[in-house]
Amino acid sequence: MEYQLRASRGDDWQRYRELRLSALRDPAAPVSFFEPIQEALDRSPEGWRQRAASHLLRTTFVVERGSDGDWVGMATALLTEGGHVHVVGVFLLPAQRGTGVAEDLLAAAVAWAGRREVRLDVHEDNARAARFYRRLGFRPTGRMVPDPRCPERRTVEMTLSEPPGGAAEGAAGGPRRSATGATDRSG
C-alpha cells in the first residue's frame, strides 16, 4: 500500500471526525479510548476543527492512502506541562493493522518529540497493544491510572526505554518512500 503520513490541519476536521468515530465504534474501543462515543457525536464542528489542528503543543499524524486519499490511521502527540510528549488516540482501520503503518505513526510521534521523553498509556486489558508498544521499546513506568468509566480497571503508563534514535525508531524500520513521495508498505 502506498500512503502518506502527515500532520492533520483544522480544515481536515471532517476526515478527522470520521476516523475518530470509526475508532470509537471499533470493538476494541472500550480498552483503547476513554472518550465515550456520544461525547464525540455531540462535539461541534468548531470543536472538531480544534482537535484536528496541529500546532506546537499537539500534532495528530494521519495516514492517507495513496490511491484515494482516505484516512486509514492516526496518532496524536501532546506536549505536556511536565515537558514530556504523551501519545494518545493511536488507531488504524482493521485492514491496515499488521502492515507496518502503526510503527510509522509511532516513529513520527517519537521524531516530533525530539529529545523529550515519550509516554503513552495502555489499558491493562489491551494485551495486543501492550505487546506492540513493548516491541517498539516502551516499558511500564509503574504508574497506573483508573479507567474513569470503570475505576476497578486501569491503564498502565509506558515510556520509551531508550532515547529517540534508539530502539523505537529502529523497530519501526523506517518507511520506504516511493518516487511520488508516498510511503510504500507493499513489499
Side-chain angles (χ1 to χ4, degrees):
M1 170 184 89
E2 281 196 16
Y3 69 90
Q4 290 189 8
L5 195 141
R6 68 169 180 87
S8 68
R9 301 177 301 268
D11 61 353
D12 289 323
W13 74 270
Q14 290 172 313
R15 292 196 296 172
Y16 180 98
R17 179 183 188 273
E18 180 181 322
L19 190 59
R20 179 64 178 177
L21 292 175
S22 292
L24 296 176
R25 288 181 179 119
D26 188 272
V31 294
S32 299
F33 308 107
F34 284 154
E35 182 179 30
I37 186 123
Q38 193 58 51
E39 185 178 305
L41 288 168
D42 292 342
R43 185 171 291 115
S44 70
E46 183 55 31
W48 285 110
R49 272 188 205 89
Q50 289 175 5
R51 292 231 8 205
S54 293
H55 48 77
L56 291 175
L57 301 177
R58 172 194 174 104
T59 297
T60 297
F61 295 97
V62 296
V63 178
E64 287 184 325
R65 190 169 35 218
S67 61
D68 54 21
D70 283 346
W71 285 17
V72 298
M74 64 196 306
T76 300
L78 308 164
L79 181 58
T80 69
E81 288 182 15
H84 70 272
V85 169
H86 207 89
V87 177
V88 299
V90 178
F91 176 73
L92 289 174
L93 292 175
Q96 307 310 315
R97 296 173 188 164
T99 65
V101 175
E103 288 90 339
D104 292 344
L105 277 168
L106 268 287
V110 169
W112 184 82
R115 297 218 170 266
R116 293 180 185 96
E117 179 184 12
V118 179
R119 297 181 195 169
L120 52 81
D121 294 314
V122 63
H123 199 284
E124 66 184 347
D125 294 336
N126 195 344
R128 181 178 185 213
R131 281 191 306 274
F132 168 73
Y133 295 130
R134 281 182 181 278
R135 186 169 53 83
L136 296 182
F138 285 86
R139 298 293 178 255
T141 64
R143 182 174 176 264
M144 299 185 84
V145 178
D147 181 333
R149 297 161 303 187
C150 185
E152 62 272 3
R153 297 166 106 188
R154 301 166 301 195
T155 63
V156 177
E157 182 182 68
M158 299 180 85
T159 187
L160 197 57
S161 61
E162 294 187 25
E169 288 183 298
R176 296 181 302 273
R177 302 281 171 195
S178 72
T180 64
T183 303
D184 178 11
R185 278 288 182 185
S186 58

